[in-house]
Every structure is written in C-alpha cells, then in structure tokens.
Amino acid sequence: MFKTYTTLEEATHSQPRVTALLACEKNLMPASWHMPISKSPFRYAVAVREENYTHQLLKEHGSFTLNFLPFNNYESMDLLGRVHGDTTDKLSLSKLDVESVDPQDNILLTASDFIYECVICDSYKNGDHTIFIADVSKIHINEKQNHTPMLFSGRGRYTTVGETLYVEKTIH
Ligand SMILES: Cc1cc2nc3c(=O)[nH]c(=O)nc-3n(C[C@H](O)[C@H](O)[C@H](O)COP(=O)(O)O)c2cc1C
C-alpha cells in the first residue's frame, strides 16, 4: 500500500543522502544534492539553490572543495545550514579546524574523511537550483578514515550506515 504525492514538500519521506560541506573560499555550505557524473575524467555535480550565498560565490570564484565529514559532526552541519555566509562567518561558527587551502584558496577541513578539490567546468540552471559541474582535480583521503558517513534524510534527520558487507565478484 502506497500513499502518492505530486510534490516533494508533501511527500515528507526519508531519502538518506551522503552530505558534505562545500567550501568556496572560507564559506561553508552543507550540501546533500550532489553526485559523481563521470569516471575518467572524474567529474562531479552539485545542485545549489540560487538564494544561497554559495551560488554567487561559485559563479564568481569558479571552484570549491567538497569535505566529507563523519557522522559525529551532524550538529555543526545542521547549524551551518541555517545561516548564510554573507552575514555570518560560518567557519568561525563551525569551530572546525582548517588543514590547508587548495591553489584557489578554498579551505580543506581537517575532520574530513575525504575531500575533493573541484574546478567548475560547466553550469546550467535547472528548476530552482543551478547544477555546477566540476573537474575533480585532487582527491584527499584521510589516513584515519572513519567509515561512518553522514547521511541526511531531510527535515533535521541524520543517520549513518551499519555493517559493510562484501559481495564476491563472480565470472559468468
Ligand atoms: C544537511 C543539509 C544539506 C543541504 N543540501 C543543500 C544542497 O545540496 N544544495 C543547496 O543549495 N542547499 C542545501 N542545503 C541548504 C544550505 O546549506 C543552506 O541554505 C545554507 O544556509 C546556505 O549557506 P550560504 O548562504 O552561506 O551559501 C542543505 C542544508 C542542510 C542542513
């Protein structure tokens, strides 16, 4: 038995999505609408709402980092999703440590499990978001990777994964 809706606003269902902190220079924006779209070259797409300050920054700056933080940072993530970088210093607010910056001055966060350095190569407006497509120029993997990814299900719901199971590859 299913209940059927026509808008996302009505269908308040849980769809867990891996969530990252998008850093454009020093500004941090929680992002869960993103995905890999090409393997070689490795390209990544993020959907950013026009009203967000990050939208303007990305248009002007042309690059960003995606910082994949472990689940235990979910309160900081949520806090950063409720304020805007044009009026708040979100890096100070987050209390997160900066490991370094990339060649375009986008910050890399120490707590990340892994980080993608991204240079925007294309963008197009789609509905109420703009899709920014980027070449991933560097992939940084933390030696102390936590394996507890932060998953966001909307409306303040955060979770992580349980056991990881391996499936043997069989040749047919
Ligand atoms: C977990 C989480 C995921 C989010 N994902 C996105 C996203 O993918 N795209 C987007 O435009 N906004 C997303 N948001 C909303 C922005 O993070 C929020 O509007 C933020 O305040 C924008 O900051 P800025 O104005 O400094 O860019 C998300 C918020 C949260 C809490």
Side-chain angles (χ1 to χ4, degrees), residues 38-52:
S38 164
K39 199 167 187 179
S40 185
F42 184 24
R43 288 210 173 116
Y44 213 84
V46 291
V48 179
R49 221 179 150 95
E50 219 162 317
E51 299 89 82
N52 287 332

Side-chain angles (χ1 to χ4, degrees), residues 6 11 20-21 58 92 134 137 148 159 163:
T6 53
L21 274 178
L58 291 176
S92 301
S137 56
T148 53
T159 186
E163 218 179 334

Side-chain angles (χ1 to χ4, degrees), residues 27 29-33 47-49 52-54 81 83-85 90 152:
N27 191 53
M29 186 196 91
S32 67
W33 288 19
V48 179
R49 221 179 150 95
N52 287 332
Y53 179 56
T54 296
V83 288
H84 294 281
K90 293 165 81 173
F152 177 58

Side-chain angles (χ1 to χ4, degrees), residues 23-156:
C24 191
E25 298 185 295
K26 267 177 53 190
N27 191 53
L28 298 171
M29 186 196 91
S32 67
W33 288 19
H34 56 78
M35 65 184 288
I37 54 161
S38 164
K39 199 167 187 179
S40 185
F42 184 24
R43 288 210 173 116
Y44 213 84
V46 291
V48 179
R49 221 179 150 95
E50 219 162 317
E51 299 89 82
N52 287 332
Y53 179 56
T54 296
H55 190 279
Q56 181 189 326
L57 284 179
L58 291 176
K59 286 268 176 201
E60 288 167 7
H61 193 62
S63 63
F64 60 94
T65 60
L66 261 190
N67 298 263
F68 292 81
L69 301 179
F71 173 61
N72 59 2
N73 294 279
Y74 70 94
E75 281 169 319
S76 306
M77 184 68 83
D78 205 66
L79 176 63
L80 294 172
R82 282 186 267 123
V83 288
H84 294 281
D86 49 349
T87 50
T88 308
D89 179 348
K90 293 165 81 173
L91 178 59
S92 301
L93 182 69
S94 76
K95 299 194 172 66
L96 291 165
D97 292 331
V98 174
E99 184 78 7
S100 59
V101 292
D102 75 3
Q104 288 79 32
D105 263 353
N106 303 305
I107 57 176
L108 280 69
L109 297 172
T110 309
S112 307
D113 274 337
F114 56 96
I115 307 167
Y116 295 158
E117 283 186 28
C118 299
V119 178
I120 294 169
C121 59
D122 208 351
S123 72
Y124 66 95
K125 195 171 153 36
N126 173 69
D128 56 8
H129 282 56
T130 298
I131 316 289
F132 291 93
I133 296 172
D135 281 306
V136 180
S137 56
K138 287 209 184 104
I139 302 165
H140 305 276
I141 315 281
N142 196 328
E143 287 175 349
K144 296 182 193 145
Q145 210 180 334
N146 247 289
H147 301 289
T148 53
M150 191 178 322
L151 303 175
F152 177 58
S153 300
R155 296 171 195 263

